Amino acid sequence: MQADGEFDLIARYFKRPSPGRMLGVGDDCALMPLSAGCELAVSTDMLVEGRHFLPDADPESLGHKALAVNLSDLAAMGARPLACTLALSLPVVNHAWLEAFSAGFHALARESQCPLVGGDTTRSESGVVLSITVLGEVRRTHALRRDAARVGDDVWVSGTLGAADLALRLVLGRLPPDPERLRATRPALDRPTPRLKLGRYLAGVAHAAIDVSDGLLQDFGHILKASHCGADLWLDVLPAHPALAGLDESLRREILLAGGDAYELCFTARPLWREQIEVLGRQLGVPVARVGTLVRGQDLRVLDGAGQVVPVAYRGFDHFSEPCGDIA
Ligand code: ADP
Ligand code: MG
């Protein structure tokens, strides 16, 4: 971008003082020290207008969410945030939009101690495109890898499931208007909370973890595949958001098992740790529900309260195989 452009925008909206031990925005690279005995955890996520957010999305919430979904990946690895970068393509320079977007972004960056230390700013022909990279650190051998689950582990889920997916269906008019349910679920869609503290405390306790972004069955399925395990999940104890109560049962199940955008952690741990995990959840104020067990084989079974297998035809969201699962 030229003149009024790039450098003024960066200085005004994105350059912020970085912690003393870091070199932030303004040089060819950012620099940051790593703690002894730690590995670097790196993750990138893109958000494309029309694909991941609606053109009229509230920019302040978008700034929050864009960073939150990336921090959620650090949480799912058990990593502590160090810093982030932001690559931004804009069709036009809209100062009110940039002001609100950067405010939402920096607020969560501050709260998460994940300063913005670099990026890139360009013009785009069509909509807004955002690409954020988060950098974190995790003690060597403590990372919550997807391939680290073991037969016999308990399966856990943090928080509640379904609110963001229900909100999205209501926003898109895929369900009849329901202002009360929308009010109860919209914050989960617009401003997800990355479970950073929970993830960090689970590092060294839990075996494997993933954040639920594309639906529980699909995301948990990644752990099973990587770890060569099967699992039984108990439908009746899955932590459904209260706003799901009273929905048609098959819709409720689908939202619970396959609804996206939850950004809760699904993790596995030895039964030995049950009590500690429950205490941890209470201390952090994050509900944790024990929802299943890992078994030999490769099947993921969902069981009802009577122990009967519940047939499930859906898996979750896939950007390429399910174009109509898109928001655009
Ligand atoms: P370079 O030419 O080395 O790529 P740029 O002119 O693109 O540098 O960027 C100048 C500085 O501003 C760099 O430190 C870069 O990391 C930072 N920067 C550019 N865009 C952003 C942004 N959207 N958010 C944060 N930092 C940015
Ligand atoms: Mg550049």
Side-chain angles (χ1 to χ4, degrees), residues 46-125:
M46 294 185 73
L47 282 94
V48 176
E49 184 178 312
R51 181 98 209 157
H52 303 95
F53 59 93
L54 300 166
D56 62 354
D58 169 54
E60 205 265 344
S61 296
L62 181 63
H64 172 98
K65 184 166 180 173
L67 180 56
V69 303
N70 280 273
L71 290 172
S72 180
D73 286 319
L74 288 183
M77 213 64 193
R80 178 176 81 88
L82 287 172
C84 59
T85 65
L86 166 66
L88 186 62
S89 284
L90 300 168
V92 288
V93 174
N94 174 338
H95 287 284
W97 190 94
L98 278 162
E99 185 70 54
F101 173 83
S102 59
F105 191 101
H106 287 301
L108 182 59
R110 257 194 316 277
E111 187 190 321
S112 319
Q113 296 181 291
C114 187
L116 178 63
V117 296
D120 204 20
T121 307
T122 65
R123 199 177 285 280
S124 73
E125 293 309 318

Side-chain angles (χ1 to χ4, degrees), residues 195 197-198 200-202 205 273-288:
R195 297 299 191 190
K197 278 204 179 125
L198 179 63
R200 277 180 66 187
Y201 283 105
L202 287 174
V205 173
W273 290 107
R274 268 178 207 170
E275 207 177 312
Q276 283 89 333
I277 288 170
E278 268 153 18
V279 168
L280 176 61
R282 279 198 295 278
Q283 283 172 346
L284 297 177
V286 179
V288 284

Side-chain angles (χ1 to χ4, degrees), residues 23-202:
L23 180 63
V25 170
D27 213 310
D28 296 312
C29 288
L31 297 173
M32 70 209 69
L34 283 179
S35 307
C38 283
E39 292 181 299
L40 186 63
V42 182
S43 178
T44 298
D45 259 312
M46 294 185 73
L47 282 94
V48 176
E49 184 178 312
R51 181 98 209 157
H52 303 95
F53 59 93
L54 300 166
D56 62 354
D58 169 54
E60 205 265 344
S61 296
L62 181 63
H64 172 98
K65 184 166 180 173
L67 180 56
V69 303
N70 280 273
L71 290 172
S72 180
D73 286 319
L74 288 183
M77 213 64 193
R80 178 176 81 88
L82 287 172
C84 59
T85 65
L86 166 66
L88 186 62
S89 284
L90 300 168
V92 288
V93 174
N94 174 338
H95 287 284
W97 190 94
L98 278 162
E99 185 70 54
F101 173 83
S102 59
F105 191 101
H106 287 301
L108 182 59
R110 257 194 316 277
E111 187 190 321
S112 319
Q113 296 181 291
C114 187
L116 178 63
V117 296
D120 204 20
T121 307
T122 65
R123 199 177 285 280
S124 73
E125 293 309 318
S126 47
V128 173
V129 178
L130 301 160
S131 173
I132 291 164
T133 297
V134 283
L135 305 159
E137 63 177 17
V138 59
R139 287 260 298 278
R140 236 168 241 140
T141 75
H142 281 27
L144 303 172
R145 296 167 53 130
R146 293 180 186 184
D147 62 3
R150 297 286 171 268
V151 170
D153 278 1
D154 292 326
V155 183
W156 298 80
V157 173
S158 69
T160 66
L161 297 173
D165 194 77
L166 178 54
L168 184 61
R169 287 170 194 249
L170 289 166
V171 167
L172 297 180
R174 291 182 182 161
L175 289 175
D178 188 336
E180 211 163 295
R181 278 210 174 89
L182 183 58
R183 209 171 315 118
T185 55
R186 181 103 209 207
L189 177 65
D190 290 344
R191 304 183 65 86
T193 305
R195 297 299 191 190
L196 282 165
K197 278 204 179 125
L198 179 63
R200 277 180 66 187
Y201 283 105
L202 287 174

Side-chain angles (χ1 to χ4, degrees), residues 232-254:
D232 288 345
L233 287 185
W234 309 313
L235 184 62
D236 288 5
V237 295
L238 288 177
H241 188 274
L244 269 62
L247 289 179
D248 163 74
E249 181 53 25
S250 73
L251 176 65
R252 200 186 82 93
R253 272 185 198 177
E254 183 178 338

Side-chain angles (χ1 to χ4, degrees), residues 199-213:
R200 277 180 66 187
Y201 283 105
L202 287 174
V205 173
H207 280 152
I210 192 164
D211 62 324
V212 181
S213 53

